[in-house]
Amino acid sequence: KKVVFIIVDGIADDMLDKSETPNLNRIKKDGAMLKAYVGGEKGGYSETPTISAVGYNSLLTGTWVNKHNVYDNDIKAPNYNYPTVFRLFRNQFPNKKMAVFSTWEDNRTKLIGESLDATGKIKMDFAFDGLEKDTSRFPHDNQAKYIRKIDSLVAGKAASYIRENAPDISWVYLEFSDDMGHRHGDGDILYEAISFEDRLIGQIYDSVKEREAKYGEDWLFVVTTDHGRTANNGKGHGGQSDRERSTWIAINKPNINTYAKNNRVAITDILPTMTDFLNLKVPAEIQYEIDGVDLLKKITAYHLKATLSSDNILNVTWETTDSSNEAAEIYITYTNNFKNGGKDSYQLLGKVNLSSGKFASKLKTANSNIYKIVLKTKAGFLNTWIRK
């Protein structure tokens, strides 16, 4: 089993209908095109800026910004205690191969955190990036034609390297569409840029299809974007408007679950989808922190929420995908030691029938600044926080 995930920058979901995207349509025909969102819980503790690097890291770690701590493109202080999919993969499969193909070098050096002590000095097996720093070969022009050229080279290298070497997990990042959005906003120039990126995606997908046909490999192929665009003209992003939050996920597997079919899914759902597909055994203390759920395997609960009343009654709710009478467990901790590399001690609050969709409990502790609640089901874990 092998994975390729592609982030193509700054394409709101409504823009796909206005652009020629035969390759995304081909992936959709093989699997599904899902409506998705970025930005965390609007107005809540996990609200996340709809900015590029912020979105990339939400995909890489399966968490919102309140955990991964990348608030803008400066990437000043990522919290590496929330591991990327690459670190999870490397820890279990030290001899398997990882690759990154990117029009922005910071994706490897800052987000993945290659060679840093805080990431265990993780090292990619192959990297093709940094071309944007070669101003003699790619002189920077006002219309970002150099980025278009770099995107072509990045996608071409990804396609050829995957065809010849088949790394076990690969990340491809393409930028040009976002540059055209910032410069021109809604209109034919941006839509043509999206079609251009679609052609590049098609090159990479061709390589994957060729590998599957020749070698019988099983590839998960996921394409998404990092944010939408402002509603008035499409030139900006960063806020919490519906259009800035509204994104999409193309996936080549047709067996998406009931949750994915019936909900606008989250960018944080991509990490657990990849780890489950790759049979990664993610440690429980990390699973407690992941904000997404698998889009493929059967899940019975999602959208966990909690409130605390003035008389210290904790009310927990969730939604279910069916009328399952599955028994589940609710845990709580009053610390956030995980944030600093420590461990949180979770206490069992009670057992519930998932079909009830709710749970209430009188808490003994009333003076905590944070309450981290976990719902344990057969399919995995959901988490939510209450912060004072």
Side-chain angles (χ1 to χ4, degrees):
K1 288 188 171 185
K2 297 174 184 286
V3 167
V4 176
F5 64 96
I6 300 174
I7 299 176
V8 56
D9 205 312
I11 303 174
D13 62 356
D14 65 278
M15 293 176 172
L16 295 182
D17 296 332
K18 301 166 186 172
S19 311
E20 294 293 328
T21 56
N23 291 293
L24 286 176
N25 291 338
R26 184 159 57 117
I27 299 165
K28 176 183 177 180
K29 185 177 180 181
D30 289 345
M33 175 67 78
L34 307 176
K35 288 188 177 297
Y37 73 93
V38 298
E41 181 186 358
K42 187 174 181 178
Y45 71 91
S46 65
E47 183 175 288
T48 297
T50 54
I51 295 173
S52 294
V54 187
Y56 313 160
N57 218 37
S58 287
L59 188 159
L60 290 173
T61 65
T63 68
W64 299 115
V65 74
N66 60 296
K67 297 177 182 177
H68 66 63
N69 205 48
V70 173
Y71 278 86
D72 54 38
N73 291 335
D74 292 340
I75 316 177
K76 289 180 180 178
N79 190 336
Y80 294 119
N81 292 312
Y82 300 90
T84 64
V85 66
F86 293 107
R87 277 175 59 204
L88 295 171
F89 188 80
R90 175 64 82 223
N91 288 343
Q92 184 169 330
F93 302 119
N95 297 318
K96 290 191 176 185
K97 304 303 181 185
M98 309 187 303
V100 60
F101 310 86
S102 176
T103 306
W104 198 37
E105 187 182 72
D106 285 359
N107 287 338
R108 172 174 56 86
T109 58
K110 293 184 178 181
L111 294 181
I112 296 173
E114 189 175 71
S115 301
L116 300 180
D117 289 338
T119 63
K121 296 188 180 295
I122 189 172
K123 182 73 175 176
M124 303 300 289
D125 296 286
F126 183 81
F128 186 81
D129 58 18
L131 298 181
E132 75 278 12
K133 295 184 176 180
D134 186 351
T135 53
S136 59
R137 187 179 173 193
F138 302 99
H140 293 195
D141 62 288
N142 290 334
Q143 289 304 309
K145 292 180 181 178
Y146 75 102
I147 292 293
R148 183 183 174 106
K149 292 177 183 176
I150 293 172
D151 271 8
S152 290
L153 291 170
V154 165
K157 175 59 74 172
S160 63
Y161 192 86
I162 287 169
R163 182 181 294 110
E164 295 164 11
N165 300 282
D168 297 283
I169 180 168
S170 300
W171 176 15
V172 183
Y173 166 68
L174 304 172
E175 180 184 323
F176 184 65
S177 46
D178 187 54
D179 288 339
M180 292 301 96
H182 282 299
R183 284 167 172 77
H184 304 285
D186 296 315
D188 290 343
I189 293 176
L190 174 55
Y191 304 148
E192 195 287 324
I194 294 171
S195 298
F196 164 74
E197 304 285 39
D198 180 82
R199 293 192 291 274
L200 301 184
I201 291 165
Q203 294 177 24
I204 303 165
Y205 196 46
D206 286 343
S207 295
V208 165
K209 299 285 277 187
E210 184 177 322
R211 293 287 315 186
E212 288 187 322
K214 280 188 175 182
Y215 303 103
E217 296 163 347
D218 185 7
W219 288 75
L220 174 65
F221 193 88
V222 181
V223 188
T224 192
T225 192
D226 50 340
H227 54 75
R229 311 208 71 84
T230 47
N232 58 340
N233 59 18
K235 288 187 176 182
H237 59 83
Q240 293 293 317
S241 70
D242 288 347
R243 199 184 191 205
E244 288 167 290
R245 290 171 55 86
S246 297
T247 60
W248 48 271
I249 297 172
I251 187 168
N252 69 325
K253 300 297 182 184
N255 56 314
I256 60 169
N257 58 31
T258 303
Y259 158 76
K261 289 177 182 177
N262 296 329
N263 292 273
R264 185 175 282 274
V265 302
I267 194 170
T268 50
D269 295 333
I270 295 174
L271 179 136
T273 304
M274 295 190 294
T275 56
D276 286 346
F277 179 82
L278 292 166
N279 298 314
L280 271 175
K281 296 177 177 64
V282 180
E285 61 269 21
I286 296 173
Q287 291 189 55
Y288 293 163
E289 302 290 339
I290 290 173
D291 293 320
V293 297
D294 192 334
L295 299 171
L296 299 178
K297 77 176 184 182
K298 181 180 178 180
I299 64 168
T300 47
Y302 59 97
H303 290 171
L304 185 70
K305 295 183 179 181
T307 59
L308 189 63
S309 68
S310 58
D311 55 351
N312 225 33
I313 301 294
L314 175 72
N315 289 286
V316 185
T317 62
W318 58 89
E319 297 182 46
T320 58
T321 56
D322 55 37
S323 57
S324 170
N325 287 320
E326 176 190 332
E329 297 173 336
I330 294 182
Y331 293 85
I332 192 168
T333 184
Y334 303 97
T335 61
N336 191 19
N337 297 326
F338 188 95
K339 175 183 178 180
N340 299 313
K343 291 188 176 182
D344 298 302
S345 178
Y346 283 84
Q347 306 168 22
L348 177 65
L349 275 182
K351 297 184 178 182
V352 296
N353 188 311
L354 277 184
S355 62
S356 69
K358 62 183 179 180
F359 171 84
S361 177
K362 176 82 170 181
L363 297 186
K364 297 177 182 178
T365 302
N367 58 356
S368 178
N369 289 320
I370 190 166
Y371 303 81
K372 293 165 60 174
I373 297 100
V374 167
L375 176 67
K376 180 183 179 182
T377 71
K378 291 179 181 177
F381 301 90
L382 303 177
N383 80 87
T384 189
W385 288 8
I386 299 171
R387 293 173 67 174
K388 287 189 176 178

